[in-house]
Amino acid sequence: MGPTASGKSALAATLAGHFPVEIISVDSAQIYRGMDIGTAKPSVAERRSVPHHLIDIVDPTGSYSTAQFRSDAVRLISEIAARGRIPLLVGGTMLYFKTLREGLSELPESDAAVRARIDAEAAERGWPALHAELAKIDASTAARLKPSDSQRIQRALEIYRVAGKPMSQLLGRARSALPFRLLELALVPSDRAELHRRIESRFDAMLERGLVEELRALRERHTLRPGLPSMRCVGYRQAWQHLEGEFGRDELRDRGIFATRQLAKRQLTWLRAMKAVRSFDCLAEDPDAEALDYVRRDINRASLAL
């Protein structure tokens, strides 16, 4: 685990060079086909050298829930282990990790018709009005959401309309936790400013590689709209606004970097709340070697216990 630009993929490659692993992506953006540059997907060569799962499984017009991720991940973990290999989960979608470890609340699946009606209401009345409606039926959920947080307001209203109960009430009912022993590692920066410099360099590289052109091609191939989950992904949201003429290339860069920094801040907040995680400084001289040694020692202890 770790924030964006912390070196998770590099550490995964190091571990893959020493253990018989198969990688399960824990990334809510890498699931989308054709969205390669802005999600920093592993290269074709990397995916050929080590099996990767849960990458390129949904068109950018589709959706993929946390419940679907947990179901797919649990199944893949079992299948990989049955092959005598080690499941290595790699990514920065912290909600996926939390749900995988702690279990899943009994929330209803997404309902496209209900979501469409909520979107239509938002177009007519605005998201602040829907936030006020949510406050009447689920005050605790509304209190932690901004009136402009369209995605989460939509989901909370959807849950209430489908289940007939507020989301805050259903969140307390968790299904069974993951039936596997977990070894949790995180790459965390000792210097936030240096991580910000990495983020800036990485976003510049994405623009140079053709992030805007990639999105333009996707818009030509698919019927996309800005409210889709895929188009809310950091980088793509800003590129979309740029293509719509809302601002120029320089502002696209500034907004993209700022949004990525905010994403990293949220990821680090999640990580601070995860007490069982062993953290390594991603800015250290050789964090991969430290993590590799830690994993080796853990595997040796587990072998002796058997």
Side-chain angles (χ1 to χ4, degrees):
M1 295 177 277
T4 185
S6 60
K8 297 183 294 294
S9 296
L11 174 55
T14 296
L15 295 173
H18 293 83
F19 304 105
V21 305
E22 294 187 29
I23 293 174
I24 300 174
S25 172
V26 188
D27 190 304
S28 60
Q30 292 187 356
I31 62 171
Y32 295 111
R33 301 184 188 98
M35 293 172 56
D36 302 332
I37 296 171
T39 64
K41 281 179 189 169
S43 68
V44 173
E46 289 169 331
R47 282 186 262 176
R48 283 175 179 164
S49 64
V50 181
H52 283 67
H53 305 276
L54 301 188
I55 293 176
D56 291 342
I57 59 173
V58 181
D59 282 334
T61 52
S63 61
Y64 186 75
S65 69
T66 304
Q68 286 174 290
F69 166 79
R70 189 176 195 277
S71 176
D72 287 342
V74 171
R75 171 182 54 81
L76 285 165
I77 289 169
S78 297
E79 292 173 356
I80 294 167
R83 290 193 284 270
R85 301 177 68 81
I86 301 172
L88 176 59
L89 294 102
V90 182
T93 300
M94 307 312 300
L95 178 59
Y96 282 5
F97 277 116
K98 183 176 188 294
T99 301
L100 189 63
R101 186 183 65 233
E102 299 177 6
L104 193 67
S105 299
E106 295 181 348
L107 300 180
E109 294 291 328
S110 177
D111 187 309
V114 172
R115 286 200 166 195
R117 288 196 293 272
I118 293 171
D119 281 338
E121 292 174 29
E124 179 181 348
R125 299 162 52 200
W127 286 109
L130 293 190
H131 181 267
E133 179 183 323
L134 177 63
K136 296 177 182 177
I137 58 176
D138 191 353
S140 61
T141 297
R144 61 184 177 81
L145 301 180
K146 294 180 180 179
S148 58
D149 194 343
S150 59
Q151 185 174 2
R152 291 178 176 83
I153 293 170
Q154 180 194 60
R155 179 57 176 155
L157 287 173
E158 176 193 29
I159 287 168
Y160 181 78
R161 294 182 186 185
V162 172
K165 297 178 181 178
M167 184 169 73
S168 57
Q169 180 179 335
L170 295 176
L171 283 174
R173 303 176 181 177
R175 300 174 192 169
S176 60
L178 190 66
F180 302 98
R181 188 180 75 89
L182 298 178
L183 180 61
E184 300 177 85
L185 291 76
L187 291 170
V188 178
S190 55
D191 182 353
R192 190 74 64 87
E194 180 57 35
L195 180 68
H196 288 175
R197 284 189 284 272
R198 284 192 181 188
I199 287 170
E200 183 175 335
S201 176
R202 176 168 150 143
F203 196 77
D204 283 338
M206 288 178 178
L207 290 175
E208 183 66 26
R209 289 180 57 206
L211 172 61
V212 173
E213 292 72 21
E214 179 181 72
L215 177 57
R216 183 181 289 115
L218 285 170
R219 284 167 39 135
E220 291 172 356
R221 290 200 306 271
H222 301 280
T223 304
L224 299 176
R225 63 180 190 277
L228 285 169
S230 61
M231 295 298 104
R232 293 181 183 136
C233 292
V234 170
Y236 291 93
R237 182 200 299 257
Q238 292 75 30
W240 182 289
Q241 293 172 304
H242 169 67
L243 287 175
E244 290 295 302
E246 294 183 29
F247 43 73
R249 185 93 172 185
D250 289 344
E251 189 168 347
L252 161 61
R253 176 184 181 274
D254 292 343
R255 288 181 177 231
I257 290 171
F258 177 78
T260 309
R261 288 177 177 178
Q262 292 299 107
L263 170 62
K265 181 180 179 181
R266 292 193 298 272
Q267 291 167 317
L268 289 167
T269 299
W270 277 93
L271 280 170
R272 281 195 293 272
M274 295 181 171
K275 304 304 182 186
V277 177
R278 172 66 164 86
S279 295
F280 299 87
D281 181 8
C282 65
L283 306 178
E285 184 175 342
D286 196 349
D288 291 3
E290 293 179 33
L292 176 60
D293 180 62
Y294 178 75
V295 173
R296 277 180 171 149
R297 285 187 277 111
D298 181 85
I299 290 176
N300 287 337
R301 284 195 299 269
S303 299
L304 288 172
L306 294 175

